[in-house]
Every structure is written in structure tokens, then in C-alpha cells.
Amino acid sequence: MIIDADCHVSPTPEGGGSSISVEVLLRRMDRAGVDKALTWLQPPYKREVAPANRYVYEASRKYPDRILGFGWADPNLGVEEAKDMAKRCIEEYGFYGVKLNGAQNEYFIDDPGLSLPVVEVIAGMGKVVAFHSGADAYQRTHPYRVGNVAEKFPDTKFLLVHMGGAAFHDLSRAAIEVAAKYPNVTLIGSAIRTIPILNAVKTLGPSRICYGSDTPFELIHVEVAKYNAMLEGVVTEEEKEMIMSGNISRVLGL
């Protein structure tokens, strides 16, 4: 079993692979031997969060055995609107949680006036919160900021997406430090090099990191091959299964 923990789809896919439909995602999953994909909307966008979330929902209804729907909220479009969107994603769409991206949407992910009210709604409904955390916007999405939020909501599960990567440089050491301090934080090793991923596995153990491809920004079959080569001789088959599917299954409560 392989579950990709970081995939994006768009209701308005463009040519050249910069954004893809759910059907293209499924074809790429089939090629890579990926069984399921944690799926959220494809940025960039202006104000089309609602229709993009709806598209992910419809994809999860159409392909329930393959697409694991996950929501998206942008507090810069209005905190109350973002809170309502989070509630809709959970109550109406049945998503596993909601993602906040301070890099794409330009806010500090631990901002008490913007981000935290939305996190509070998601946490109060018992769902998972995902944060983009990368060196592409290190001031707004630094792993330490994820730690600030995780400390305030110790009973909520957090996904630290990209584990501080998503750029030529990375903040993976900080991401590992945060995950070591806060057991409610799980790392997704997408858009980051192999050495930082292996450092996370060796430091935290194989139960705290999940495979992810960051499709369509990377190719699923290439990322699966990378993980297979990277983990060979480093972990047991059981531990590899945890990284490739078991850990994200546990976090999402599958």
C-alpha cells in the first residue's frame, strides 16, 4: 500500500503540467503504483478557494477509494469566511482536515488574529491541521511557528508539509527539532532532498514521517522511486510500509 500525502488538483488545469485535473492525478498514481492520495487544491488562485475545495470534494466522492479529500482556508480572504470554509470542509465535505499555506497566501501561520482562529475551529472539530512549512517563505512558515501552534493545541494532529523544504535551501533541522518536541506533529517529506528525509527517519524514527510527492510540482513515479532507493537497507520492510502509508493512515484515522 502506498498513500501519497501531498497532491494538488485544480478545476481549471493548465497545459504543461503546472496544474492537473483529478483524472490526470489518477493516471499518474496508476503509473507509480500509488493506491491513495491525500488531495488538496492547487494554488495559485485569487478568490476561488470555495470552488476549488468543492472540486476536491467532488473528486473524493467520485473516486472514494483513491482520493482522500483535504480542505484549504485562507484567512486573508476574511477570518470569518475562512472559519466558515473550514467548517464546510469538515461538516459538509467530510474532509480529513484543512490546510493553511502562509507562503501562498502571505500570512504568518501562528498569527493570533489570522491563523489561530481558523486553527481553533479545525481543532475544535477534532480534525487534522496541515501547514505548508518551507524555506520559500521562511519568515511566515518557519517550522518553529508550527511548533508555536502545536503547543497551543496539544490534542490536535498537525502535518508539517515539506518539513521546511520547498526551496533550494531547507529548514529541515528545525522541522525535526519541532517534531521531536511536539508528538502531535508529523512530517511530510515532499519537495525536499533525500538527506534531510533520512535525517528525520534516523532522528525521530520511522513513525513520524510520511511519503509525499507534491504533485504536480514533482512526478509521483519519480518520487516513489526516490523513496524506494533512499530507504533500501536503511529501514525494515515494516518500517518502510509505515513511511509509505501507515503513518498518514494513522494520522488521518483511516
Side-chain angles (χ1 to χ4, degrees), residues 92-174:
E92 182 179 342
Y93 296 164
F95 285 164
Y96 292 94
V98 179
K99 182 177 180 180
L100 292 95
N101 188 329
Q104 178 68 35
N105 302 139
E106 299 183 348
Y107 60 89
F108 292 90
I109 58 176
D110 58 350
D111 188 308
L114 283 175
S115 181
L116 292 189
V118 184
V119 173
E120 186 173 15
V121 168
I122 304 164
M125 302 180 79
K127 295 298 182 178
V128 181
V129 178
F131 282 119
H132 172 106
S133 179
D136 56 340
Y138 66 93
Q139 289 184 316
R140 296 191 294 269
T141 70
H142 198 284
Y144 290 160
R145 294 190 181 277
V146 178
N148 291 341
V149 183
E151 185 171 24
K152 294 179 183 297
F153 300 91
D155 297 324
T156 298
K157 296 176 182 177
F158 291 90
L159 293 172
L160 200 161
V161 186
H162 310 313
M163 52 179 287
F168 290 111
H169 301 286
D170 71 68
L171 304 169
S172 60
R173 292 184 182 276

